[in-house]
Amino acid sequence: MWGLDFSTIDWNEMLNGTYDTLKMMAYSLLFTFIIGLPLGVILFMTARSNSILNKWIYRVLSVIVNILRSVPFIILIIVLLPFTKLLVGTSMGVLGTIPPLVIGAAPFFARLVETSLREVDRGVIEAAQAMGASTSQVIRRVLLPESLPGLIAGLTITAVTLVSYSAMSGMVGGGGLGDLAIRYGYYRFETEVAIIAIVLMLIVVQILQMIGDRLVVHFTRK
């Protein structure tokens, strides 16, 4: 079809590439959640505080988050090569891709967390505070449960973004489907491999989005 020959594709390699992409996404999403969730909560809590110290904390964190979000990921991964090698011992493959993925995605997820928390009814928060709830109790028992559908939606968007970022990491030997698409499709002109890699990434994104949407609907009805 259109001069393309898909019979030459090494399906074991495509399967391994898909597995590597899923592994990069899963580990990066886990660490992004661990870092991004508290960072988003801190941004929200300090932004609405009247304390001068908290306002300064918000400004500093906000600037750092904006800087990291504004740097294109392909540049970020190159700039972080020495740091990545120092941290995990390599800047190549799946392991070498996870640190820049986390550093690129955590600020993005933190902003989504902050936005979700802003949508919580202020009256509910004030009612909890009026009943004597501490700051940590307000966060754990009011803010996070009330914003859960928004947090899941934000995590889904972040997961899809991580799949896209992992494909870009193929430019510097990051592994996964992006690496296959670039090595075979771009450097060796094997268009068939690039097409299959793109189709597999689209399937992964569709599955992630479908799971995320169903979870959002489930927790919104509760």
Side-chain angles (χ1 to χ4, degrees):
M1 183 174 65
W2 298 318
L4 300 175
D5 182 10
F6 291 96
S7 64
T8 59
I9 290 177
D10 185 340
W11 291 103
N12 283 330
E13 195 169 23
M14 298 304 298
L15 190 63
N16 289 333
T18 305
Y19 176 70
D20 284 345
T21 295
L22 291 174
K23 194 160 64 172
M24 280 190 285
M25 187 275 297
Y27 280 109
S28 302
L29 189 63
L30 173 65
F31 288 111
T32 295
F33 180 79
I34 292 172
I35 297 171
L37 181 64
L39 181 57
V41 172
I42 292 171
L43 284 169
F44 173 77
M45 297 301 291
T46 52
R48 64 194 295 271
S49 172
N50 293 322
S51 163
I52 295 176
L53 176 62
N54 284 340
K55 287 188 180 299
W56 272 106
I57 291 173
Y58 176 78
R59 287 171 187 163
V60 171
L61 286 178
S62 188
V63 168
I64 294 172
V65 165
N66 288 343
I67 290 172
L68 289 174
R69 286 179 60 208
S70 61
V71 178
F73 182 70
I74 190 64
I75 295 175
L76 182 68
I77 196 172
I78 293 170
V79 170
L80 289 175
L81 284 176
F83 172 74
T84 302
K85 193 168 184 178
L86 181 69
L87 187 65
V88 297
T90 178
S91 59
M92 306 286 286
V94 173
L95 187 60
T97 304
I98 292 174
L101 282 175
V102 174
I103 292 172
F108 174 72
F109 180 60
R111 281 297 187 202
L112 295 177
V113 170
E114 184 189 7
T115 302
S116 298
L117 296 179
R118 282 179 178 171
E119 293 175 357
V120 175
D121 188 348
R122 183 175 287 271
V124 179
I125 301 172
E126 291 173 350
Q129 291 172 329
M131 286 188 288
S134 64
T135 301
S136 64
Q137 287 173 327
V138 169
I139 294 170
R140 288 185 288 108
R141 297 181 182 178
V142 179
L143 284 174
L144 295 182
E146 290 291 326
S147 62
L148 188 56
L151 294 176
I152 294 172
L155 201 60
T156 304
I157 294 170
T158 306
V160 171
T161 303
L162 282 169
V163 174
S164 172
Y165 281 179
S166 72
M168 279 189 266
S169 73
M171 290 295 293
V172 291
L177 291 169
D179 182 51
L180 290 178
I182 291 168
R183 270 196 295 127
Y184 289 92
Y186 183 69
Y187 291 117
R188 302 183 188 178
F189 304 104
E190 296 181 23
T191 310
E192 298 88 345
V193 176
I195 291 173
I196 296 298
I198 291 169
V199 170
L200 289 173
M201 279 190 281
L202 287 174
I203 292 171
V204 169
V205 167
Q206 287 297 321
I207 292 173
L208 288 172
Q209 191 64 57
M210 185 181 67
I211 293 172
D213 289 344
R214 290 193 176 186
L215 286 173
V216 169
V217 171
H218 175 75
F219 285 102
T220 302
R221 287 174 178 169
K222 281 191 171 183

PDB file of all heavy atoms in Angstrom, residues 51-72:
ATOM      1  N   SER A  51      -0.433  36.122  55.163  1.00  0.00           N
ATOM      2  CA  SER A  51       0.930  36.249  55.695  1.00  0.00           C
ATOM      3  C   SER A  51       1.878  36.751  54.602  1.00  0.00           C
ATOM      4  O   SER A  51       1.863  36.258  53.463  1.00  0.00           O
ATOM      5  CB  SER A  51       1.406  34.880  56.205  1.00  0.00           C
ATOM      6  OG  SER A  51       2.799  34.872  56.355  1.00  0.00           O
ATOM      7  N   ILE A  52       2.720  37.721  54.966  1.00  0.00           N
ATOM      8  CA  ILE A  52       3.697  38.256  54.004  1.00  0.00           C
ATOM      9  C   ILE A  52       4.692  37.172  53.602  1.00  0.00           C
ATOM     10  O   ILE A  52       5.070  37.054  52.430  1.00  0.00           O
ATOM     11  CB  ILE A  52       4.436  39.470  54.626  1.00  0.00           C
ATOM     12  CG1 ILE A  52       3.441  40.605  54.867  1.00  0.00           C
ATOM     13  CG2 ILE A  52       5.574  39.929  53.715  1.00  0.00           C
ATOM     14  CD1 ILE A  52       4.039  41.799  55.568  1.00  0.00           C
ATOM     15  N   LEU A  53       5.105  36.354  54.578  1.00  0.00           N
ATOM     16  CA  LEU A  53       6.049  35.260  54.287  1.00  0.00           C
ATOM     17  C   LEU A  53       5.457  34.289  53.269  1.00  0.00           C
ATOM     18  O   LEU A  53       6.122  33.888  52.300  1.00  0.00           O
ATOM     19  CB  LEU A  53       6.399  34.524  55.579  1.00  0.00           C
ATOM     20  CG  LEU A  53       7.305  33.286  55.417  1.00  0.00           C
ATOM     21  CD1 LEU A  53       8.656  33.696  54.827  1.00  0.00           C
ATOM     22  CD2 LEU A  53       7.486  32.571  56.747  1.00  0.00           C
ATOM     23  N   ASN A  54       4.188  33.905  53.493  1.00  0.00           N
ATOM     24  CA  ASN A  54       3.540  32.971  52.561  1.00  0.00           C
ATOM     25  C   ASN A  54       3.389  33.566  51.165  1.00  0.00           C
ATOM     26  O   ASN A  54       3.503  32.854  50.159  1.00  0.00           O
ATOM     27  CB  ASN A  54       2.165  32.567  53.106  1.00  0.00           C
ATOM     28  CG  ASN A  54       2.281  31.568  54.238  1.00  0.00           C
ATOM     29  OD1 ASN A  54       3.306  30.897  54.377  1.00  0.00           O
ATOM     30  ND2 ASN A  54       1.259  31.477  55.063  1.00  0.00           N
ATOM     31  N   LYS A  55       3.119  34.859  51.114  1.00  0.00           N
ATOM     32  CA  LYS A  55       2.995  35.499  49.802  1.00  0.00           C
ATOM     33  C   LYS A  55       4.327  35.462  49.051  1.00  0.00           C
ATOM     34  O   LYS A  55       4.362  35.273  47.831  1.00  0.00           O
ATOM     35  CB  LYS A  55       2.500  36.942  49.961  1.00  0.00           C
ATOM     36  CG  LYS A  55       1.016  37.023  50.351  1.00  0.00           C
ATOM     37  CD  LYS A  55       0.518  38.437  50.300  1.00  0.00           C
ATOM     38  CE  LYS A  55      -0.964  38.490  50.700  1.00  0.00           C
ATOM     39  NZ  LYS A  55      -1.815  37.700  49.808  1.00  0.00           N
ATOM     40  N   TRP A  56       5.424  35.648  49.794  1.00  0.00           N
ATOM     41  CA  TRP A  56       6.743  35.570  49.161  1.00  0.00           C
ATOM     42  C   TRP A  56       7.058  34.140  48.718  1.00  0.00           C
ATOM     43  O   TRP A  56       7.637  33.916  47.653  1.00  0.00           O
ATOM     44  CB  TRP A  56       7.815  36.087  50.116  1.00  0.00           C
ATOM     45  CG  TRP A  56       8.002  37.570  50.001  1.00  0.00           C
ATOM     46  CD1 TRP A  56       7.599  38.541  50.871  1.00  0.00           C
ATOM     47  CD2 TRP A  56       8.621  38.263  48.900  1.00  0.00           C
ATOM     48  NE1 TRP A  56       7.916  39.786  50.405  1.00  0.00           N
ATOM     49  CE2 TRP A  56       8.546  39.651  49.190  1.00  0.00           C
ATOM     50  CE3 TRP A  56       9.217  37.856  47.709  1.00  0.00           C
ATOM     51  CZ2 TRP A  56       9.056  40.623  48.338  1.00  0.00           C
ATOM     52  CZ3 TRP A  56       9.728  38.817  46.852  1.00  0.00           C
ATOM     53  CH2 TRP A  56       9.645  40.183  47.162  1.00  0.00           C
ATOM     54  N   ILE A  57       6.666  33.168  49.561  1.00  0.00           N
ATOM     55  CA  ILE A  57       6.858  31.757  49.184  1.00  0.00           C
ATOM     56  C   ILE A  57       6.105  31.458  47.893  1.00  0.00           C
ATOM     57  O   ILE A  57       6.617  30.797  46.984  1.00  0.00           O
ATOM     58  CB  ILE A  57       6.378  30.820  50.327  1.00  0.00           C
ATOM     59  CG1 ILE A  57       7.306  30.943  51.532  1.00  0.00           C
ATOM     60  CG2 ILE A  57       6.330  29.368  49.840  1.00  0.00           C
ATOM     61  CD1 ILE A  57       6.831  30.196  52.759  1.00  0.00           C
ATOM     62  N   TYR A  58       4.867  31.962  47.803  1.00  0.00           N
ATOM     63  CA  TYR A  58       4.071  31.742  46.598  1.00  0.00           C
ATOM     64  C   TYR A  58       4.744  32.363  45.372  1.00  0.00           C
ATOM     65  O   TYR A  58       4.812  31.725  44.314  1.00  0.00           O
ATOM     66  CB  TYR A  58       2.671  32.336  46.777  1.00  0.00           C
ATOM     67  CG  TYR A  58       1.840  32.220  45.518  1.00  0.00           C
ATOM     68  CD1 TYR A  58       1.240  31.016  45.178  1.00  0.00           C
ATOM     69  CD2 TYR A  58       1.691  33.309  44.658  1.00  0.00           C
ATOM     70  CE1 TYR A  58       0.505  30.893  44.006  1.00  0.00           C
ATOM     71  CE2 TYR A  58       0.956  33.184  43.480  1.00  0.00           C
ATOM     72  CZ  TYR A  58       0.369  31.977  43.164  1.00  0.00           C
ATOM     73  OH  TYR A  58      -0.347  31.844  42.007  1.00  0.00           O
ATOM     74  N   ARG A  59       5.236  33.591  45.535  1.00  0.00           N
ATOM     75  CA  ARG A  59       5.867  34.257  44.390  1.00  0.00           C
ATOM     76  C   ARG A  59       7.095  33.499  43.900  1.00  0.00           C
ATOM     77  O   ARG A  59       7.283  33.307  42.694  1.00  0.00           O
ATOM     78  CB  ARG A  59       6.249  35.692  44.772  1.00  0.00           C
ATOM     79  CG  ARG A  59       5.054  36.631  44.896  1.00  0.00           C
ATOM     80  CD  ARG A  59       5.463  37.956  45.479  1.00  0.00           C
ATOM     81  NE  ARG A  59       4.295  38.800  45.745  1.00  0.00           N
ATOM     82  CZ  ARG A  59       4.306  39.857  46.528  1.00  0.00           C
ATOM     83  NH1 ARG A  59       5.432  40.225  47.117  1.00  0.00           N
ATOM     84  NH2 ARG A  59       3.209  40.556  46.725  1.00  0.00           N
ATOM     85  N   VAL A  60       7.930  33.061  44.839  1.00  0.00           N
ATOM     86  CA  VAL A  60       9.158  32.348  44.466  1.00  0.00           C
ATOM     87  C   VAL A  60       8.813  31.023  43.779  1.00  0.00           C
ATOM     88  O   VAL A  60       9.342  30.693  42.709  1.00  0.00           O
ATOM     89  CB  VAL A  60      10.045  32.097  45.708  1.00  0.00           C
ATOM     90  CG1 VAL A  60      11.213  31.170  45.352  1.00  0.00           C
ATOM     91  CG2 VAL A  60      10.566  33.413  46.264  1.00  0.00           C
ATOM     92  N   LEU A  61       7.902  30.248  44.414  1.00  0.00           N
ATOM     93  CA  LEU A  61       7.512  28.965  43.827  1.00  0.00           C
ATOM     94  C   LEU A  61       6.845  29.154  42.469  1.00  0.00           C
ATOM     95  O   LEU A  61       7.066  28.378  41.533  1.00  0.00           O
ATOM     96  CB  LEU A  61       6.556  28.224  44.773  1.00  0.00           C
ATOM     97  CG  LEU A  61       7.174  27.599  46.022  1.00  0.00           C
ATOM     98  CD1 LEU A  61       6.096  26.952  46.877  1.00  0.00           C
ATOM     99  CD2 LEU A  61       8.230  26.572  45.647  1.00  0.00           C
ATOM    100  N   SER A  62       6.018  30.200  42.379  1.00  0.00           N
ATOM    101  CA  SER A  62       5.302  30.460  41.135  1.00  0.00           C
ATOM    102  C   SER A  62       6.277  30.756  39.994  1.00  0.00           C
ATOM    103  O   SER A  62       6.102  30.267  38.868  1.00  0.00           O
ATOM    104  CB  SER A  62       4.338  31.635  41.336  1.00  0.00           C
ATOM    105  OG  SER A  62       3.520  31.789  40.210  1.00  0.00           O
ATOM    106  N   VAL A  63       7.315  31.539  40.301  1.00  0.00           N
ATOM    107  CA  VAL A  63       8.311  31.865  39.273  1.00  0.00           C
ATOM    108  C   VAL A  63       9.060  30.604  38.833  1.00  0.00           C
ATOM    109  O   VAL A  63       9.262  30.359  37.635  1.00  0.00           O
ATOM    110  CB  VAL A  63       9.308  32.921  39.806  1.00  0.00           C
ATOM    111  CG1 VAL A  63      10.506  33.055  38.875  1.00  0.00           C
ATOM    112  CG2 VAL A  63       8.615  34.265  39.955  1.00  0.00           C
ATOM    113  N   ILE A  64       9.458  29.766  39.818  1.00  0.00           N
ATOM    114  CA  ILE A  64      10.181  28.527  39.493  1.00  0.00           C
ATOM    115  C   ILE A  64       9.317  27.610  38.621  1.00  0.00           C
ATOM    116  O   ILE A  64       9.774  27.052  37.616  1.00  0.00           O
ATOM    117  CB  ILE A  64      10.608  27.793  40.788  1.00  0.00           C
ATOM    118  CG1 ILE A  64      11.647  28.629  41.541  1.00  0.00           C
ATOM    119  CG2 ILE A  64      11.177  26.416  40.468  1.00  0.00           C
ATOM    120  CD1 ILE A  64      11.983  28.102  42.918  1.00  0.00           C
ATOM    121  N   VAL A  65       8.051  27.466  39.026  1.00  0.00           N
ATOM    122  CA  VAL A  65       7.122  26.610  38.263  1.00  0.00           C
ATOM    123  C   VAL A  65       6.939  27.150  36.849  1.00  0.00           C
ATOM    124  O   VAL A  65       6.970  26.383  35.869  1.00  0.00           O
ATOM    125  CB  VAL A  65       5.762  26.523  38.992  1.00  0.00           C
ATOM    126  CG1 VAL A  65       4.686  25.957  38.065  1.00  0.00           C
ATOM    127  CG2 VAL A  65       5.887  25.663  40.237  1.00  0.00           C
ATOM    128  N   ASN A  66       6.777  28.458  36.726  1.00  0.00           N
ATOM    129  CA  ASN A  66       6.578  29.048  35.394  1.00  0.00           C
ATOM    130  C   ASN A  66       7.806  28.868  34.501  1.00  0.00           C
ATOM    131  O   ASN A  66       7.684  28.623  33.302  1.00  0.00           O
ATOM    132  CB  ASN A  66       6.240  30.532  35.527  1.00  0.00           C
ATOM    133  CG  ASN A  66       4.837  30.741  36.059  1.00  0.00           C
ATOM    134  OD1 ASN A  66       4.021  29.827  36.026  1.00  0.00           O
ATOM    135  ND2 ASN A  66       4.566  31.920  36.576  1.00  0.00           N
ATOM    136  N   ILE A  67       8.997  29.019  35.108  1.00  0.00           N
ATOM    137  CA  ILE A  67      10.231  28.845  34.329  1.00  0.00           C
ATOM    138  C   ILE A  67      10.331  27.418  33.799  1.00  0.00           C
ATOM    139  O   ILE A  67      10.592  27.185  32.612  1.00  0.00           O
ATOM    140  CB  ILE A  67      11.472  29.189  35.193  1.00  0.00           C
ATOM    141  CG1 ILE A  67      11.528  30.697  35.459  1.00  0.00           C
ATOM    142  CG2 ILE A  67      12.758  28.729  34.507  1.00  0.00           C
ATOM    143  CD1 ILE A  67      12.602  31.105  36.443  1.00  0.00           C
ATOM    144  N   LEU A  68      10.108  26.430  34.696  1.00  0.00           N
ATOM    145  CA  LEU A  68      10.229  25.029  34.280  1.00  0.00           C
ATOM    146  C   LEU A  68       9.168  24.661  33.245  1.00  0.00           C
ATOM    147  O   LEU A  68       9.396  23.847  32.352  1.00  0.00           O
ATOM    148  CB  LEU A  68      10.112  24.110  35.498  1.00  0.00           C
ATOM    149  CG  LEU A  68      11.312  24.147  36.451  1.00  0.00           C
ATOM    150  CD1 LEU A  68      11.041  23.316  37.696  1.00  0.00           C
ATOM    151  CD2 LEU A  68      12.569  23.639  35.750  1.00  0.00           C
ATOM    152  N   ARG A  69       7.981  25.269  33.375  1.00  0.00           N
ATOM    153  CA  ARG A  69       6.910  24.977  32.414  1.00  0.00           C
ATOM    154  C   ARG A  69       7.158  25.610  31.048  1.00  0.00           C
ATOM    155  O   ARG A  69       6.673  25.122  30.023  1.00  0.00           O
ATOM    156  CB  ARG A  69       5.567  25.487  32.950  1.00  0.00           C
ATOM    157  CG  ARG A  69       4.992  24.651  34.069  1.00  0.00           C
ATOM    158  CD  ARG A  69       3.693  25.237  34.546  1.00  0.00           C
ATOM    159  NE  ARG A  69       2.722  25.298  33.476  1.00  0.00           N
ATOM    160  CZ  ARG A  69       1.740  26.191  33.395  1.00  0.00           C
ATOM    161  NH1 ARG A  69       1.614  27.106  34.331  1.00  0.00           N
ATOM    162  NH2 ARG A  69       0.886  26.168  32.416  1.00  0.00           N
ATOM    163  N   SER A  70       7.894  26.723  31.047  1.00  0.00           N
ATOM    164  CA  SER A  70       8.074  27.457  29.793  1.00  0.00           C
ATOM    165  C   SER A  70       9.231  26.925  28.950  1.00  0.00           C
ATOM    166  O   SER A  70       9.320  27.241  27.762  1.00  0.00           O
ATOM    167  CB  SER A  70       8.291  28.952  30.077  1.00  0.00           C
ATOM    168  OG  SER A  70       9.462  29.129  30.853  1.00  0.00           O
ATOM    169  N   VAL A  71      10.115  26.117  29.560  1.00  0.00           N
ATOM    170  CA  VAL A  71      11.248  25.571  28.796  1.00  0.00           C
ATOM    171  C   VAL A  71      10.766  24.392  27.952  1.00  0.00           C
ATOM    172  O   VAL A  71      10.198  23.441  28.495  1.00  0.00           O
ATOM    173  CB  VAL A  71      12.368  25.097  29.740  1.00  0.00           C
ATOM    174  CG1 VAL A  71      13.516  24.489  28.935  1.00  0.00           C
ATOM    175  CG2 VAL A  71      12.867  26.248  30.597  1.00  0.00           C
ATOM    176  N   PRO A  72      10.966  24.423  26.634  1.00  0.00           N
ATOM    177  CA  PRO A  72      10.584  23.275  25.796  1.00  0.00           C
ATOM    178  C   PRO A  72      11.260  22.002  26.281  1.00  0.00           C
ATOM    179  O   PRO A  72      12.444  22.024  26.649  1.00  0.00           O
ATOM    180  CB  PRO A  72      11.092  23.679  24.404  1.00  0.00           C
ATOM    181  CG  PRO A  72      11.157  25.166  24.444  1.00  0.00           C
ATOM    182  CD  PRO A  72      11.529  25.525  25.849  1.00  0.00           C
TER     183      PRO A  72
END
